Amino acid sequence: MKTSDFYYDLPESLIAQEPLSKRDESRLMVLDKVSGKTEHKHFYDIEDMINPGDALILNDTRVIPARLYGEKEDTGGAIEFLLLNKHSLDTWEVILKPGRRAKPGARFVFGGGKLKAEILDVINDGNRLVKFEYDGVFENVLDELGEMPLPPYITKKLEDKDRYQTVYAKHNGSAAAPTAGLHFTPELLSRLRAKGVKIGYVTLHVGLGTFRPVKADEIADHKMHSEFYILPEETAELINKTKSEGGRIISVGTTATRTLETVGQSGLPLKASTGWTDIFIYPGKKFNVIDALITNFHLPESTLIMLVSALAGKENVLNAYREAVDKKYRFFSFGDAMFIQ
């Protein structure tokens, strides 16, 4: 199967540059994964489509303001850091711009010296391993000095950092938001609970590899990025109980899906698990855990549209995307949603 099989035409004007004023008023396309039939609703209508006894599984990762602007300590030359993965206390894997000549021992300052950094090593893909120095709590320093690392297709500055967080974000560590969850409000989640919908959480810290284009002609030749995940015991038990009682497992986003299907590769029942996943889900791959998926509209030829196509069928998905373009849905991170059931 070729990467080009997952291409669709998208006018640039349909790429959402900012979130709607109210999270749950985005549009919602409902796609039947068997027939390919579509319906057009609003996200708040999701309440009517999730049944008592179903389980909604959310990714509670929290995006850190991972983009830092500073200068080289000795020359004053401008530098941009993008934090990717935390390796240990104060030690991070980062992307530097410009950084091709930055060698171990090079030092940088941010915020007039509130934060300092030294390069320890050059690692995979030319990224750097960096040790930070600061007073106080790192997260507080980062909140003060850092900016949200919005995807490259969003060119408008985000005025409110919280709009790139889900309302249930809890565990710091992501370089990008699990955007399917951005549509939920506390009120909508409360109404779902009151209806008898069970809600569970996983954590997958989203890396920038989620935006990495697939360069291989054959999708099976693509190497997936790796991301850290946690499936807690209570969520594993919730999923097992829901399955045994005939309820559906509805995953919110591709990141929650990748977590569940990583742990579920050996089948049910699920057990609590923590680790790194580089699972690549594309048509032909079997889903062992999820029954339905809430997701946004994804980039052409991306691993995300391949995952969605594995669940609903490539032709069904591409037909639905063409319809979304015709009806002027908003695409990507701040865009509209799709419910595949």
Side-chain angles (χ1 to χ4, degrees):
M1 196 172 297
K2 295 190 176 297
T3 300
S4 58
D5 293 337
F6 296 88
Y7 178 80
Y8 67 93
D9 249 336
L10 179 69
E12 193 172 325
S13 61
L14 296 183
I15 300 174
Q17 291 297 314
E18 57 188 350
L20 295 180
S21 58
K22 295 185 178 179
R23 291 175 183 259
D24 63 354
E25 289 189 355
S26 55
R27 295 167 73 186
L28 178 70
M29 177 185 282
V30 183
L31 173 63
D32 186 303
K33 64 186 178 184
V34 177
S35 69
K37 180 184 175 184
T38 59
E39 295 179 81
H40 304 282
K41 298 181 178 292
H42 286 89
F43 195 80
Y44 49 72
D45 294 319
I46 201 82
E47 182 182 353
D48 300 325
M49 290 174 273
I50 302 179
N51 305 319
D54 288 344
L56 197 65
I57 307 299
L58 310 169
N59 180 6
D60 64 5
T61 188
R62 185 172 181 83
V63 185
I64 59 173
R67 180 169 275 122
L68 291 163
Y69 295 98
E71 57 206 35
K72 203 163 186 291
E73 193 174 60
D74 55 356
T75 66
I79 193 74
E80 175 187 333
F81 273 31
L82 192 58
L83 279 61
L84 294 183
N85 297 311
K86 184 176 181 179
H87 283 233
S88 62
L89 185 68
D90 305 333
T91 304
W92 286 75
E93 179 182 349
V94 304
I95 296 174
L96 274 65
K97 291 182 181 179
R100 286 179 296 176
R101 297 179 185 174
K103 297 178 180 178
R107 292 182 57 82
F108 302 89
V109 294
F110 306 88
K114 290 181 180 178
L115 182 66
K116 297 182 179 180
E118 180 176 335
I119 294 179
L120 301 181
D121 198 6
V122 180
I123 53 178
N124 54 299
D125 296 329
N127 298 344
R128 267 55 173 182
L129 194 63
V130 168
K131 183 172 178 62
F132 287 104
E133 303 163 14
Y134 52 91
D135 291 327
V137 179
F138 183 69
E139 284 77 10
N140 294 342
V141 177
L142 202 58
D143 275 340
E144 180 183 351
L145 302 179
E147 293 186 6
M148 283 298 185
L150 295 177
Y153 46 75
I154 294 178
T155 57
K156 189 168 183 177
K157 185 176 174 63
L158 182 64
E159 298 300 328
D160 180 2
K161 285 183 181 180
D162 284 343
R163 290 310 307 273
Y164 197 53
Q165 303 279 15
T166 62
V167 296
Y168 46 81
K170 185 176 181 182
H171 301 291
N172 284 327
S174 276
T179 54
L182 295 178
H183 305 281
F184 284 95
T185 64
E187 295 79 12
L188 177 55
L189 290 169
S190 293
R191 292 197 301 271
L192 286 167
R193 287 190 184 96
K195 184 179 179 177
V197 175
K198 296 174 276 188
I199 296 178
Y201 298 92
V202 298
T203 304
L204 182 137
H205 292 320
V206 188
L208 290 177
T210 193
F211 303 116
R212 185 180 298 161
V214 178
K215 295 181 178 177
D217 290 335
E218 297 286 339
I219 64 173
D221 294 334
H222 175 68
K223 179 172 172 50
M224 280 291 285
H225 58 287
S226 188
E227 294 168 321
F228 181 76
Y229 74 88
I230 302 169
L231 174 67
E233 180 67 40
E234 59 266 29
T235 305
E237 291 175 358
L238 171 64
I239 290 169
N240 294 334
K241 187 170 187 292
T242 301
K243 285 283 196 182
S244 69
E245 294 174 351
R248 295 180 299 172
I249 304 301
I250 302 170
S251 177
V252 178
T254 58
T255 59
T257 300
R258 293 181 70 233
T259 301
L260 297 178
E261 294 301 328
T262 293
V263 181
Q265 286 180 95
S266 54
L268 297 172
L270 295 186
K271 295 181 180 177
S273 178
T274 298
W276 292 81
T277 180
D278 61 357
I279 191 171
F280 183 14
I281 302 173
Y282 53 86
K285 299 284 186 177
K286 180 184 176 185
F287 288 85
N288 291 325
V289 181
I290 77 162
D291 301 294
L293 171 65
I294 297 169
T295 188
N296 280 18
F297 290 89
H298 303 295
L299 278 75
E301 300 183 336
S302 64
T303 60
L304 305 180
I305 195 172
M306 294 172 189
L307 183 153
V308 171
S309 297
L311 181 64
K314 180 170 67 73
E315 292 309 316
N316 286 345
V317 167
L318 289 176
N319 287 337
Y321 270 54
R322 292 185 195 105
E323 186 175 354
V325 169
D326 288 342
K327 293 186 178 294
K328 293 186 165 38
Y329 273 68
R330 301 165 75 247
F331 278 68
F332 305 162
S333 295
F334 288 141
D336 295 316
M338 175 183 278
F339 181 35
I340 301 174
Q341 63 173 346

